[in-house]
Amino acid sequence: MNKKIKVLYSIFALICLLFSLLSGCKPQPDVTTTLEPDLDVLYVNLTWHQHQPLYYQDENGVFSRPWVRVHATKDYLDMAEKVADYEGLHVSFNYTPSLIRQLNAFADGAKDLYWVLSEKPASTLTEADKRFILERFYDVNWTNIIARYPRYQALLDQRGGTDEESIQVALSAFTEQDFRDLQIWFNLAWFDPVYLAREPLVDLVTKGEGFTEDDKTIVFDEVLKIIRLVLPYHKELQDAGQIEVTTTPYAHPILPLIYDNQLALIGNPGAEMPELPFSYPQDARVHLDLCVDMYMETFDREVRGLWPGEGAVAEEIIPMVAEAGFSFMQTGEPVLAKSLGFDGFTRDSQGLVSEADQLYRPYYVRDQAGNQVAVFFRDWTLSDNIGFVYSGMSGDVGALDLVNRLEAIHAYLQENGFEGPHIVSIILDGENAWEHFPNDGNDFINSLYQRLTESEVLRTVTPSQYLALFPEQRTLEQLFPGAWFSPNYDTWIGESEEATAWDYLARTRKFLVPYESGQVAAHPDALERAFDFMYLAEGSDWFWWFGDDQDSGQDDYFEEAFRALLAGVYTALDAEVPQFVNVPIIQAGPVSATRPFSGSSTPIIDGRNDPGWDTAAFYAVEGSSPVTGFYFTMDEDHFYLRLDVDGAMKDIGVGFYFNVPGGTGGTSAFSRDSGVILGIFANKLVEWNGGEVVNTYEAKESAWQIEKTDAGLAQAGDDILEISFPLEFLGEVAAGDALKLAVVVEPFGDLLPQGGPARVVLPDKGGVAAILQVDDPTGDDNGPGTYTYPQDGVFKDSVFDVTYFEVGTDQENLVLTFKFLGEIENPWGSPIGLSLQTMDVYIDTDPGEGTGARMLLPGRNAALMSGFGWEYAVWAEGWNAQVLQSDPESLVPLPFSEATNAMRIIVDPAQNAVIIRIPLNLLGEGNPEDWAYSAVVMSQEGYPAEGVWRIRDIEPAAAQWRFGGAPQGSKNHTRIIDLVLPVDNEFDQATLLSNFVPSASNPDTLSPDDFAQIPMMKPEN
């Protein structure tokens, strides 16, 4: 071969090589080019969010929880496979890095504790193993899954309850075969029914019982097979253009709070903030960079879409999101409403959004450099209907309802001439809902996908496809800071526990600053490990469970995992773990008093018992402590404490540690002398060390500093110690404030009460001048006379039966008091102690003038009598209490945030009373004695019917969670259980609430006269 030919051949070969390389590296085909824009249809963006927190791995790499693995076999793979069954269907999936990381770990051979115990031969199980299996191997939906398989149900019945006695009996009763069958069934049940109907699992399902150890191999071979398919199969569908996979910042953080946690004050200026600020924009960028790298490695393409952790967004993060390469992100409708300048989108009773043209489109948000990110906003109601409503219907009925609602939105937009295009974003958890559906939701999903693909007016698209079709979109002038369900970050910051966790995070992050700057040297690998622990601790999953607003039933697990990550930061750099990391953030729950506080009193401080202690709270003490019991009570000016001691009083000292909410100083988790972990973060200390006086201390930067010597009185008798000190030492506390109290007896270090702190709720001090007093008849908690209570045991007799209502003033506040015949209990853990009852008070400041709104709040289905109209409505309940105003023009209820934030609700279980205080200066001019009032009681409902503001439905027949006694087919019957009216009043409750014509029409189309009419009460001047 001559030289010229060799050169030509080399050039040809090089061209071929370059062509080959370019072919392999070219971007995947953009499926948006196959779609044509259509302004006559409504586009649907359906996004399934797949996420699990990062679970703890022990020294052997065994995960402590099975939820990644079992959702892989029940949800992750088959959710994608269902999409592939429908040509023309386009769906998005969001996969978080923490989930991807754990899926890869399982694919590489990691196991979880449940897996390990399942593989262990039943013949070698220890008693501890058996106890764990009996307690945890029924962790799946009992009704829709366990009951589906007779042997699994029989094993559940055989075990009985979860109490210690039942478990102890089961330990003896269960045979080796029973345990082996339970080992198999827990893992089989966590497969999707589609897989259980196929080989090789169908043979095990048919067999049902009498499993062998070899059968376990079949199960876990299939587990591993499915796990290894999850991510590659999603990549395959994305490459084919049928789905879009989005992702989330690395550790699922609330990214705006990592940027600067002071952003929380925009959405909630009254949030309880940590002592230390946390602002690390560089960490926020790393979370984005790491998720981009993981996405590229997993899906072999550049990122496009971002679901920020919990949909948390803020304008401040737009530059870094754009710089990381994301073209769009998604969040919730409350953020859009606040960004557009109003409080929330309004819906009629059928769920149709009045501001549909504004909600159903993406918006661009631009930074100062001109970078832009499109933002899609989730329809709250449609998304939540899938998660919480449709599980109670047949699959086809639920799917038909959703598609009908979407087509109704399309019709509304068309009829009103709103210029398209429009897109409805339905975004929700893609894994946890399905076990609550029959057949794991398969019937619902298949029917939904079929109906969506067959609809002539609906088109499914991914967000990227939509933006490619319609790149011109409106621009938001501001992006309000908030998350997928709230225009704030209250779930992750703003409560005491959350503030403490942020302080822990800030102290640990500050420790890394000198390493970050190079002032302190460390091996690069060690520093990388330390920062990885830090980034993982910045995740939102830990903060979700802090505070009163969420409860997993095992919050301690997540809290311990959070502190373990913080400890990992220090140990990675061979540094000593600070003492604060060992102190639990989740304080022990208050323990019930042996005898509850029943009224204020003023004991005589003389070291002897007297009647002043008869109404005090009393805590009995058992065990080896010299203290046999302690008491507390208070009057208007002083707090009183008493200890009963078995032994010499001179040998002991006592510290009374208070956690007072809203304190501005520091806190300490340790007693002043012995360093006992208190179980609370105390900020006030009253200390007695003998003599006739006590000293007071305040926590300053985690240390106790003397506040005042001789701050109160003390007298020790033979076996009684009595103490009093001024209430003003506790700071600016008010009626209804809940304090925690821990007592430490020195030098023994005894911590009292045993099991947790005492709860001290400051009572209403009275001083109220009554202007309206109503004795309401008993036994009328039946609405129009026909209503019956729900069947669940929490609805005890008379809990909604008002016996007394009062309106009064204390010069500064309007004071509203309800008293009930039944006990006020708190079965669902309301932070203010009020779970069941909802109370409305409507105030007409100019009765007879015909101004204000006649309709009560949405869902009450009642109206004020003609001639009356409310200017203010007070809505009191355990989670969402508000004060509202009626719009003078539209008469719709509008939030009155200033009054809501200032309102205080005091729940007094001892008196079965609820006392509401609202500053008078916020209620405008006028004299409350000239106003008119109407008060009603309903049942609080966390998952209300559409268009109903958080009260419980009334149906023809009572059910577990529903009242009975409603007219058949009626949509305008009232949800009022007790209407406050004076005894022997000219009006009769049953007559008033039944005096309407039942209608099946949409309540929003009816006038006030189509509902029950209720009177207002005026004070007798």
Side-chain angles (χ1 to χ4, degrees):
M1 187 182 293
N2 62 40
K3 184 176 180 180
K4 184 174 182 180
I5 293 175
K6 285 182 178 180
V7 170
L8 289 172
Y9 180 83
S10 298
I11 293 172
F12 176 77
L14 181 60
I15 290 172
C16 290
L17 177 61
L18 287 171
F19 181 81
S20 174
L21 290 171
L22 288 171
S23 297
C25 297
K26 70 181 180 180
Q28 297 292 340
D30 188 350
V31 299
T32 59
T33 58
T34 65
L35 302 177
E36 297 294 331
D38 188 345
L39 295 178
D40 293 327
V41 302
L42 176 65
Y43 289 91
V44 179
N45 159 32
L46 182 57
T47 299
W48 302 112
H49 174 56
Q50 312 290 40
H51 167 64
Q52 287 290 328
L54 188 66
Y55 294 107
Y56 175 75
Q57 287 179 276
D58 66 16
E59 64 277 5
N60 298 315
V62 175
F63 285 98
S64 59
R65 295 291 189 272
W67 308 126
V68 170
R69 187 251 303 180
V70 298
H71 281 294
T73 55
K74 194 178 76 66
D75 302 306
Y76 299 147
L77 182 60
D78 81 280
M79 283 290 289
E81 289 176 336
K82 288 184 181 68
V83 177
D85 291 337
Y86 296 89
E87 185 177 354
L89 180 72
H90 298 283
V91 172
S92 297
F93 290 90
N94 188 75
Y95 269 78
T96 64
S98 61
L99 177 55
I100 293 173
R101 177 172 174 165
Q102 291 174 99
L103 284 170
N104 286 333
F106 278 108
D108 290 339
K111 296 181 180 180
D112 58 75
L113 178 59
Y114 294 61
W115 185 339
V116 171
L117 284 177
S118 296
E119 286 186 321
K120 190 171 184 178
S123 62
T124 66
L125 292 173
T126 66
E127 181 173 329
D129 296 335
K130 292 176 180 179
R131 179 178 293 274
F132 184 93
I133 289 170
L134 288 169
E135 290 175 347
R136 308 310 311 180
F137 273 39
Y138 300 97
D139 287 350
V140 68
N141 187 284
W142 291 7
T143 302
N144 293 314
I145 297 182
I146 291 182
R148 185 171 180 158
Y149 306 107
R151 175 57 172 159
Y152 202 1
Q153 180 65 52
L155 290 168
L156 175 59
D157 294 340
Q158 183 177 344
R159 183 200 67 173
T162 57
D163 58 282
E164 176 59 28
E165 182 179 353
S166 297
I167 296 297
Q168 198 62 43
V169 170
L171 282 169
S172 301
F174 267 57
T175 66
E176 178 183 317
Q177 186 63 57
D178 291 334
F179 279 109
R180 186 179 297 112
D181 286 357
L182 183 53
Q183 287 174 305
I184 294 277
W185 266 118
F186 171 77
N187 294 284
L188 268 183
W190 274 102
F191 280 90
D192 187 85
V194 171
Y195 302 141
L196 293 179
R198 300 174 185 166
E199 295 291 351
L201 298 180
V202 67
D203 291 340
L204 295 178
V205 175
T206 302
K207 184 177 182 179
E209 59 186 310
F211 295 121
T212 68
E213 294 296 329
D214 289 340
D215 289 333
K216 296 177 180 179
T217 303
I218 298 172
V219 172
F220 288 107
D221 283 351
E222 201 67 12
V223 166
L224 198 54
K225 173 185 172 184
I226 289 175
I227 288 175
R228 287 174 173 169
L229 284 173
V230 171
L231 294 174
Y233 191 74
H234 282 78
K235 179 182 183 302
E236 179 183 331
L237 286 187
Q238 179 165 238
D239 291 345
Q242 190 162 16
I243 71 170
E244 177 165 24
V245 181
T246 61
T247 193
T248 296
Y250 175 57
H252 201 268
I254 303 301
L255 204 64
L257 296 182
I258 302 303
Y259 178 90
D260 183 359
N261 67 4
Q262 299 303 301
L263 289 172
L265 294 172
I266 298 176
N268 181 5
E272 184 175 346
M273 296 296 288
E275 296 177 36
L276 304 175
F278 191 97
S279 180
Y280 291 91
Q282 65 270 40
D283 288 15
R285 291 188 180 91
V286 171
H287 282 283
L288 289 166
D289 292 343
L290 289 175
C291 83
V292 169
D293 292 344
M294 187 174 288
Y295 185 93
M296 288 282 290
E297 182 179 347
T298 304
F299 299 107
D300 194 25
R301 65 168 62 226
E302 294 181 352
V303 295
R304 290 176 293 190
L306 183 73
W307 173 257
E310 303 294 352
V313 297
E315 195 163 342
E316 286 77 2
I317 69 169
I318 292 299
M320 62 180 65
V321 170
E323 290 167 9
F326 292 96
S327 57
F328 73 88
M329 59 184 180
Q330 307 197 83
T331 184
E333 67 173 61
V335 172
L336 177 60
K338 295 293 283 188
S339 299
L340 293 174
F342 54 92
D343 285 323
F345 290 91
T346 56
R347 288 173 166 82
D348 64 20
S349 62
Q350 303 303 307
L352 198 62
V353 176
S354 302
E355 306 86 357
D357 181 53
Q358 294 169 286
L359 176 58
Y360 299 130
R361 60 175 71 245
Y363 294 77
Y364 287 117
V365 182
R366 294 188 173 93
D367 65 16
Q368 293 182 344
N371 298 311
Q372 69 178 20
V373 177
V375 186
F376 291 78
F377 296 92
R378 168 187 187 268
D379 182 299
W380 187 333
T381 299
L382 296 183
S383 304
D384 277 8
N385 280 355
I386 297 177
F388 303 109
V389 176
Y390 295 142
S391 59
M393 305 177 182
S394 71
D396 196 53
V397 170
L400 176 61
D401 182 83
L402 179 54
V403 170
N404 283 345
R405 289 171 184 270
L406 289 167
E407 293 184 344
I409 294 169
H410 172 265
Y412 177 81
L413 292 166
Q414 294 285 321
E415 291 166 3
N416 286 276
F418 293 121
E419 183 179 354
H422 293 95
I423 183 168
V424 176
S425 294
I426 301 173
I427 307 168
L428 70 150
D429 183 327
E431 54 190 308
N432 290 310
W434 307 124
E435 67 177 285
H436 302 286
F437 282 70
N439 197 31
D440 203 42
N442 289 332
D443 302 334
F444 169 80
I445 296 170
N446 285 317
S447 180
L448 174 63
Y449 288 172
Q450 184 70 37
R451 291 179 182 279
L452 286 173
T453 54
E454 291 176 350
S455 175
E456 296 182 359
V457 297
L458 304 176
R459 295 287 183 276
T460 56
V461 292
T462 68
S464 289
Q465 289 171 336
Y466 186 81
L467 291 173
L469 291 171
F470 307 106
E472 299 297 322
Q473 297 294 333
R474 297 176 185 175
T475 299
L476 284 178
E477 295 301 318
Q478 63 156 346
L479 183 64
F480 196 86
W484 64 271
F485 62 92
S486 60
N488 53 53
Y489 307 123
D490 283 0
T491 294
W492 306 275
I493 192 169
E495 294 183 276
S496 177
E497 286 180 0
E498 294 157 355
T500 301
W502 279 101
D503 278 332
Y504 279 29
L505 198 71
R507 292 169 71 174
T508 304
R509 185 61 180 86
K510 186 177 180 180
F511 163 76
L512 287 174
V513 169
Y515 292 92
E516 190 176 23
S517 65
Q519 291 177 290
V520 178
H523 191 281
D525 291 344
L527 195 57
E528 182 179 354
R529 285 196 303 275
F531 268 99
D532 191 52
F533 281 122
M534 190 72 238
Y535 300 140
L536 293 173
E538 290 172 352
S540 69
D541 293 301
W542 325 117
F543 292 88
W544 176 274
W545 301 116
F546 294 136
D548 293 326
D549 44 13
Q550 305 293 341
D551 182 10
S552 67
Q554 48 186 336
D555 291 0
D556 290 348
Y557 168 80
F558 293 98
E559 191 254 0
E560 289 169 7
F562 173 70
R563 289 190 290 112
L565 291 171
L566 298 181
V569 174
Y570 295 93
T571 57
L573 296 168
D574 293 326
E576 182 179 354
V577 178
Q579 191 178 30
F580 76 85
V581 177
N582 298 316
V583 177
I585 294 167
I586 297 177
Q587 303 172 10
V591 298
S592 298
T594 309
R595 185 189 70 202
F597 176 79
S598 59
S600 298
S601 61
T602 306
I604 301 170
I605 305 302
D606 59 2
R608 293 179 292 181
N609 188 27
D610 69 73
W613 295 106
D614 291 350
T615 58
F618 168 63
Y619 288 80
V621 177
E622 298 177 352
S624 59
S625 173
V627 176
T628 59
F630 76 91
Y631 304 70
F632 69 77
T633 187
M634 65 205 87
D635 59 24
E636 189 168 344
D637 298 313
H638 287 82
F639 199 96
Y640 301 91
L641 295 155
R642 166 181 161 183
L643 262 67
D644 291 355
V645 179
D646 182 13
M649 195 72 68
K650 63 184 172 86
D651 296 331
I652 68 171
V654 187
F656 299 90
Y657 295 83
F658 291 87
N659 169 264
V660 181
T664 57
T667 62
S668 176
F670 305 95
S671 65
R672 195 178 75 85
D673 285 339
S674 57
V676 169
I677 295 178
L678 298 170
I680 63 173
F681 291 96
N683 47 14
K684 302 284 186 177
L685 164 61
V686 177
E687 189 175 83
W688 178 78
N689 286 304
E692 298 182 356
V693 297
V694 294
N695 299 328
T696 54
Y697 296 77
E698 292 183 327
K700 301 289 186 181
E701 298 182 355
S702 301
W704 290 110
Q705 294 185 12
I706 189 75
E707 188 263 348
K708 188 177 182 181
T709 57
D710 300 348
L713 301 178
Q715 282 291 329
D718 293 337
D719 54 5
I720 292 177
L721 168 66
E722 293 180 315
I723 290 172
S724 73
F725 64 89
L727 268 174
E728 64 184 19
F729 165 65
L730 298 177
E732 295 183 6
V733 292
D737 283 346
L739 287 60
K740 294 178 181 178
L741 167 63
V743 182
V744 178
V745 182
E746 304 288 9
F748 313 103
D750 291 342
L751 181 64
L752 309 174
Q754 295 153 324
R759 185 171 188 258
V760 181
V761 178
L762 298 184
D764 190 82
K765 296 181 180 179
V768 176
I771 60 177
L772 175 66
Q773 295 174 301
V774 180
D775 290 313
D776 185 80
T778 60
D780 63 343
D781 49 337
N782 52 18
T786 60
Y787 291 174
T788 57
Y789 276 26
Q791 296 171 347
D792 193 88
V794 300
F795 300 98
K796 297 181 179 179
D797 289 346
S798 305
V799 295
F800 301 104
D801 194 357
V802 179
T803 60
Y804 179 78
F805 172 70
E806 179 182 292
V807 178
T809 63
D810 63 2
Q811 297 184 341
E812 294 182 356
N813 299 285
L814 184 70
V815 184
L816 308 169
T817 302
F818 288 82
K819 292 185 178 180
F820 291 87
L821 182 61
E823 294 183 4
I824 297 180
E825 297 182 340
N826 191 26
W828 300 325
S830 159
I832 65 170
L834 187 67
S835 288
L836 298 175
Q837 299 85 357
T838 292
M839 291 143 284
D840 289 354
V841 179
Y842 298 89
I843 304 173
D844 186 346
T845 59
D846 55 356
E849 296 298 322
T851 61
R854 288 183 58 202
M855 286 299 300
L856 307 194
L857 295 178
R860 277 61 176 165
N861 285 6
L864 300 178
M865 287 182 171
S866 180
F868 293 101
W870 62 267
E871 279 73 36
Y872 300 102
V874 179
W875 173 14
E877 58 130 282
W879 287 270
N880 195 51
Q882 294 185 41
V883 180
L884 302 110
Q885 296 173 290
S886 62
D887 185 276
E889 301 297 328
S890 67
L891 302 182
V892 300
L894 301 175
F896 188 3
S897 298
E898 188 177 3
T900 296
N901 292 335
M903 177 171 61
R904 306 187 75 84
I905 300 177
I906 302 100
V907 178
D908 184 351
Q911 304 296 324
N912 292 331
V914 177
I915 303 161
I916 307 158
R917 291 175 179 263
I918 306 156
L920 277 168
N921 63 355
L922 298 177
L923 299 180
E925 298 180 358
N927 185 348
E929 296 182 18
D930 297 328
W931 299 348
Y933 305 86
S934 188
V936 296
V937 174
M938 291 77 51
S939 175
Q940 187 276 139
E941 169 62 274
Y943 300 100
E946 206 138 27
V948 176
W949 284 13
R950 291 181 56 83
I951 57 173
R952 197 168 303 278
D953 273 355
I954 320 290
E955 296 179 350
Q960 181 180 8
W961 304 111
R962 295 287 181 266
F963 287 82
Q968 194 73 40
S970 167
K971 290 188 176 180
N972 63 331
H973 58 277
T974 187
R975 293 180 175 85
I976 295 172
I977 307 303
D978 196 351
L979 168 64
V980 173
L981 291 171
V983 175
D984 299 327
N985 186 263
E986 62 177 301
F987 297 110
D988 172 69
Q989 173 181 305
T991 301
L992 289 171
L993 296 183
S994 61
N995 189 20
F996 68 99
V997 177
S999 172
S1001 299
N1002 180 346
D1004 291 334
T1005 67
L1006 303 178
S1007 75
D1009 293 329
D1010 294 315
F1011 297 89
Q1013 310 287 296
I1014 65 174
M1016 300 200 82
M1017 301 174 290
K1018 295 181 64 177
E1020 296 181 3
N1021 297 325

